[in-house]
Amino acid sequence: MKRISVIDSHTAGEPTRVVIDGGPNLGAGSLSEKLDIFRKQFDRFRTAIVGEPRGSDVLVGAVLVEPSDPSFTAGVIFFNNVGYLGMCGHGMIGVVRTLAHLGRIQTGEYRIETPVGIVVVTLMEDGGVSVENVPSHRRMKDLTVAVDGVGSVTGDVAWGGNWFFLTEDHGQQLELANAETLTQTAWRIRCVVNGSGYPEVDHIELLGPPKTPGANSRNFVLCPGKAYDRSPCGTGTSAKLACLAADGKLREGEVWVQEGIIGSTFRGSFRRESESIIPTITGSAFITCEAELVLDDADPFCWGIRAEGNVV
Ligand code: PYC
């Protein structure tokens, strides 16, 4: 039997499972080398940790690794039901809360390394967490695509630690009760955007008017594995800030309150850095579970239910 210690949390409703012990040995290279080893040699750990029957499509996993610079607090690789994420905003807030829960950090500022760059996190007195994200930018304004069953859709392509297509032009009500239709709409849009010269776009962000007083916007974010983000999506909010900054619709330091599809919110703001912006996203996470995953070799689904077949 193999055992993997994890701590689960949720950030604005979106779950994160942080591996504390028993994860794969990813060597001593850079974060991107570690990610490469994870992907090529230890992918079964990904499906064992977040996949069914132990996890679900919604769950984002995080493995803590040695950072390349000892002055950083940690390195972290995020993963989900279909692969690996560059950065993950809700996940980073969950990681920070988890490190605090373990007594490894107190209130203050810390640097955490991800495969796409260093983020600066702050654990606040009230338990809130802010994440100064990797440089973000808009790559393409007003891309118009013709989507079967949806019609003509215009939106922007932007990087916020993952790649997004962001659109208000979807014709849907952003209601939780509408999640199935929103998922189908976003998936169709993604397929066409991917085939229109943007294969890197793996998150679709549908935007619309907010419901929560004080919020600026509401979103529905479809993740790469077809699960929708229960939170307002930290990297998606960063991509939105990059578009607002590029359009001159939000000033440096001004606060943008992004509401997600379940009504939870993140606060975002940015500062400019050359051609990019540096977004800061603030939210809260709560610990939901401390557990040991048990991997029994006799279990045919020991390494999760994998689309390409089970690993023995
Ligand atoms: O918060 O950045 C985020 C995120 C990405 C995918 C799920 N959550």
Side-chain angles (χ1 to χ4, degrees):
M1 298 245 193
K2 180 164 178 44
R3 289 171 189 271
I4 301 176
S5 301
V6 298
I7 295 190
D8 288 359
S9 60
H10 80 84
T11 306
E14 179 77 350
T16 307
R17 174 166 287 172
V18 181
V19 175
I20 302 306
D21 195 26
N25 179 354
L26 302 177
S30 68
L31 253 277
S32 49
E33 284 164 346
K34 286 186 172 86
L35 170 58
D36 209 41
I37 293 174
F38 199 165
R39 188 182 269 130
K40 290 187 180 142
Q41 297 176 31
F42 294 105
D43 191 58
R44 63 184 188 162
F45 274 84
R46 177 182 63 77
T47 47
I49 294 163
V50 296
E52 293 180 19
R54 290 182 199 84
S56 80
D57 285 352
V58 188
L59 192 54
V60 169
V63 163
L64 299 174
V65 295
E66 279 298 312
S68 61
D69 179 329
S71 74
F72 301 155
T73 303
V76 59
I77 297 175
F78 292 108
F79 49 96
N80 62 16
N81 55 340
V82 290
Y84 299 84
L85 291 160
M87 227 303 278
C88 181
H90 94 269
M92 188 59 80
I93 294 170
V95 164
V96 172
R97 273 264 27 114
T98 298
L99 292 174
H101 180 73
L102 290 168
R104 295 191 192 170
I105 61 168
Q106 285 76 45
T107 53
E109 191 179 281
Y110 303 91
R111 279 167 205 280
I112 299 186
E113 191 173 18
T114 77
V116 292
I118 314 301
V119 303
V120 181
V121 300
T122 305
L123 175 63
M124 292 174 277
E125 289 288 348
D126 66 0
V129 176
S130 73
V131 179
E132 192 184 82
N133 196 4
V134 296
S136 302
H137 66 279
R138 179 166 69 189
R139 179 168 162 205
M140 171 78 186
K141 180 176 169 58
D142 287 345
L143 171 70
T144 299
V145 287
V147 183
D148 265 359
V150 181
S152 166
V153 178
T154 299
D156 294 354
V157 176
W159 168 258
N162 295 296
W163 280 105
F164 289 81
F165 178 77
L166 305 95
T167 182
E168 292 184 9
D169 182 27
H170 44 74
Q172 297 294 326
Q173 295 289 320
L174 298 184
E175 302 282 355
L176 186 55
N178 216 7
E180 188 56 45
T181 310
L182 293 169
T183 298
Q184 283 170 21
T185 302
W187 191 258
R188 284 179 181 197
I189 294 173
R190 178 183 164 178
C191 293
V192 180
V193 168
N194 286 163
S196 308
Y198 298 93
E200 69 279 20
V201 169
D202 55 4
H203 291 72
I204 301 297
E205 183 165 355
L206 309 180
L207 292 141
K211 292 178 157 227
T212 303
N216 296 95
S217 158
R218 184 176 176 92
N219 70 14
F220 172 88
V221 176
L222 192 67
C223 297
K226 253 188 178 172
Y228 65 88
D229 197 334
R230 274 61 173 164
S231 86
C233 192
T235 52
T237 301
S238 299
K240 176 65 184 167
L241 293 175
C243 297
L244 290 165
D247 286 334
K249 289 185 174 165
L250 192 71
R251 291 187 305 274
E252 266 186 295
E254 201 179 336
V255 173
W256 178 265
V257 180
Q258 184 64 58
E259 179 186 45
I261 193 67
I262 68 165
S264 55
T265 55
F266 285 159
R267 290 167 72 81
S269 61
F270 73 89
R271 63 182 169 83
R272 289 189 190 275
E273 191 180 80
S274 54
E275 298 300 293
S276 301
I277 61 153
I278 307 292
T280 297
I281 306 299
T282 303
S284 306
F286 296 88
I287 302 298
T288 52
C289 171
E290 296 173 319
E292 211 168 55
L293 308 181
V294 177
L295 280 71
D296 179 350
D297 278 338
D299 175 358
F301 299 107
C302 172
W303 295 99
I305 301 171
R306 296 172 58 96
E308 65 275 38
N310 296 318
V311 181
V312 283

